Amino acid sequence: MTIRLTDSVKNIIHPSVQSRYLKLLEKIGVKTLDDLINHYPVRYEDYSLISEIKKLQPGGKVTVIGKISSFSHKFTKKRGFTIQQAELDDGTGKLKIIWFNQLFLKNIISSGINLSVAGIAEVQGKSLVLQNPEFEIVKSDLLIFPYDRKKVLTNELIHTGRLVPVYPETKGLTSKWLRNKIIGILDTPIQEWLPPQILASKSLLDIKTALKEIHFPSSEELLAKAKTRLEFDEIFKFQISGLIRKKQSDKKMAVAIPVNQPAINEFISSLPFKLTSGQITAIDQILSDMNKLRPMNRLLQGDVGSGKTVVAAAAAFSAIKAGFQVAFMVPTQVLADQHAETLRALFKSYDIQVTLLTGALANSKFKIQSSKPYPDLIIGTQALIHNRANKLIDKNKLALVVIDEQHRFGVEQRGKLIDGEPAPHVLSMTATPIPRTVALTLYSDLDITTLIDMPDGRIPIKTWVVPETKRSASYHWISDQVKQGSQVFIICPFVENSELETLKSIRAVTTEFEKLKDTFRGLKLSLVHGRLRPKVKTQILSDMKAGKIDILVATPVVEVGVDIPGAKIIVIEGAERFGFAQLHQLRGRVGRNNSQSYCLLFSSDNFWNNRLKAMEKISDGFHLAEMDLKMRGPGGMWTTLQHGWPEFEIADITNVNKVLEVRRIAEEIINDIDKYPQIKTLINSMLEKTIALN
Ligand code: ADP
Ligand code: MG
């Protein structure tokens, strides 16, 4: 049977275990064989030193190859505990091997078979022992005992005798299993898609060699070359898809929204505060973009609390004044509620109809009370892109789409709202600050405005990494602060990878809540987590805003954009579980008015306590984001957390020069695409996966 890379991974898994493995693989985003060979190791175990038993030294990583001269399987006194013991003979000496509780070994290992084992030899009594080594049966016909070691085909070894790949940890999915599967796929024909002249001019490995070497490196040098090639591919694909999106969008027509400057000025002077110069510049830029016949595609980025909402409100105001409709898309219902309230307040002296649409409402029998056939501004979550919402959207009138926290939406979701022609102008906003240069390379299809100044009078938040020994002292301090009028967030970590983890997390956070109620007796505490009904969540947050709650114990649901000016203290438990950028987001929930605010970070781990100190010194989100990006090694702990950046397996996107170089090549190719049929095919398959770009 020939297999193709586009085939499902199902095809290479035995039917009896298929459903279990498919689930595990899906967790790591693997559906096809192609996905699987693009699942790269996080590190390599260096077992490339193959030693004669006679010369074996304790302590170092080593591989020994020989013939099994005895194997036994023993029960011990401890119930349910077994020992598997073998002796390996390579002609120069004998080596004892011990495994614990590996019952299945008796079906695999027996006297007379050739085995390669890898691990660290230890002294036990007078002899050396290998405990729980990696092992594999050596099939090589060349291994005729006693053999010439040089002739052993180390090529056929995949778990020992080489740089052995170790894959990101997923429970139930071992590196050994993955190695066995991946080695099989590497035998299939793998089509090169980069033109030979680029391979040559950049001295890149061909794709098949690169994939072989990233999984089963023959040397450190080739491994480095494989990484370079795959990094090139990763950046290249990303740039190409951005360039295509830009091309498609540039082809579209939009309506030009006239700028009514006197009305805008009046709106601005009606605001309860003076805009910063950054906000004013941003508004000018956006209004002038929207005054063009090309759809605006602008990203407004600014640190948490820099005041992006009011910039979007001014843009919306301008479009509505000119008789158009505006849609405002936000990632969570809580945020939708909050924004609706904020916008209604900002527009209160105008005849502007703001309608809130949420998943719950969209599914119920929902009628809007309005004298107008369509609301001027409709605000909602993903529900906005579903049918029901489209009845409230007049495609001919929709001139502006605002996407808040845009990094939380997939490209497809964004695409659906802005489909059609004339295309609406799009203003995306993000508080996940990215260094400007990196942003340029990441969002190649967007124009970028950055709010660099904060509203006047903001005081940097004091951040402390608190050692466990000072926990109860800090609780006393918090109590005092509450008595002086501060409100507090206590953020507990929440894992939601599976139903089981979610339930466990809810239980953990509920237990913690009960404890805290006891600690802070006499104060008003409340608990909010992701699994509460949206209505309940919103109610709790609005109670918090109204000052009816002193301490809100919460999971990271409060992360995105929640604006509660009275909150002055945020406590983050398990801080090591968050990336710097996310911690910064969480910290941004306080310090939203002009009094001193505090952020207390708790972590049970000293190693992390030291790293977290960076949060004490750095209050600039851009700087933290940069550190975060640098730390996000492939498969590193950060990748499992939601940051909102596109996931890169190996590319270092902070290497701006490299990214720009690849982008130049991508541009050249796109402009002359008919010359590169392979790349055209690749693009088409990429397009199928993203939006139907018409
Ligand atoms: P973000 O950029 O994080 O979305 P928001 O738009 O929620 O920030 O603004 C944060 C807070 O700052 C809000 O309470 C808002 O009313 C207030 N704000 C915005 N602009 C200014 C300004 N120029 N001066 C004072 N306060 C402002
Ligand atoms: Mg915001």
Side-chain angles (χ1 to χ4, degrees), residues 103-205:
L103 273 155
F104 66 96
L105 285 180
K106 65 173 192 255
N107 305 324
I108 300 173
I109 299 175
S110 57
S111 284
I113 65 162
N114 296 323
L115 203 67
S116 178
V117 289
I120 298 173
E122 293 163 42
V123 185
Q124 217 175 65
K126 278 192 185 155
S127 51
L128 287 176
V129 174
L130 265 186
Q131 286 195 11
N132 283 326
E134 288 273 357
F135 69 91
E136 64 192 301
I137 291 170
V138 184
K139 293 176 212 118
S140 175
D141 297 335
L142 288 176
L143 190 65
I144 296 161
F145 184 79
Y147 60 96
D148 176 357
R149 201 161 283 100
K150 291 198 190 86
K151 279 194 189 155
V152 175
L153 288 181
T154 45
N155 256 343
E156 78 174 54
L157 298 176
I158 59 172
H159 309 291
T160 62
R162 54 156 44 258
L163 288 171
V164 176
V166 179
Y167 295 93
E169 217 170 276
T170 307
K171 229 178 163 191
L173 205 56
T174 63
S175 285
K176 190 161 192 169
W177 188 88
L178 287 166
R179 276 176 227 137
N180 282 329
K181 294 300 172 197
I182 289 170
I183 192 87
I185 308 172
L186 288 171
D187 280 343
T188 60
I190 297 169
Q191 277 267 3
E192 181 56 69
W193 53 277
L194 274 183
Q197 62 271 37
I198 289 181
L199 288 181
S201 71
K202 298 281 149 218
S203 25
L204 295 171
L205 289 183

Side-chain angles (χ1 to χ4, degrees), residues 273-276 279 303-310 455 458 563 592:
F273 41 70
K274 204 172 142 284
L275 291 181
T276 64
Q279 286 170 319
D303 212 338
V304 254
S306 58
K308 295 182 290 293
T309 316
V310 68
R458 293 275 164 83
D563 187 32
R592 296 172 85 79

Side-chain angles (χ1 to χ4, degrees), residues 212-260:
K212 198 242 138 213
E213 291 295 331
I214 192 103
H215 290 289
F216 299 101
S218 4
S219 65
E220 296 277 0
E221 292 73 50
L222 275 165
L223 172 59
K225 292 200 90 176
K227 280 186 180 159
T228 308
R229 162 68 209 253
L230 296 169
E231 183 175 34
F232 184 96
D233 283 19
E234 204 171 21
I235 302 172
F236 186 81
K237 286 180 192 170
F238 189 77
Q239 292 297 330
I240 286 256
S241 70
L243 288 167
I244 294 168
R245 275 201 304 278
K246 185 158 173 57
K247 245 191 153 139
Q248 307 274 6
S249 152
D250 284 351
K251 268 196 281 188
K252 286 194 173 175
M253 291 285 288
V255 283
I257 302 173
V259 182
N260 179 345

Side-chain angles (χ1 to χ4, degrees), residues 302-309 328 335 338-339 404-405 429-431 560-563 585 589 592:
D303 212 338
V304 254
S306 58
K308 295 182 290 293
T309 316
F328 212 111
L335 204 54
Q338 182 189 291
H339 270 343
D404 199 9
E405 312 288 346
M429 306 201 286
T430 181
V560 191
V562 175
D563 187 32
Q585 287 276 319
R589 294 314 111 213
R592 296 172 85 79

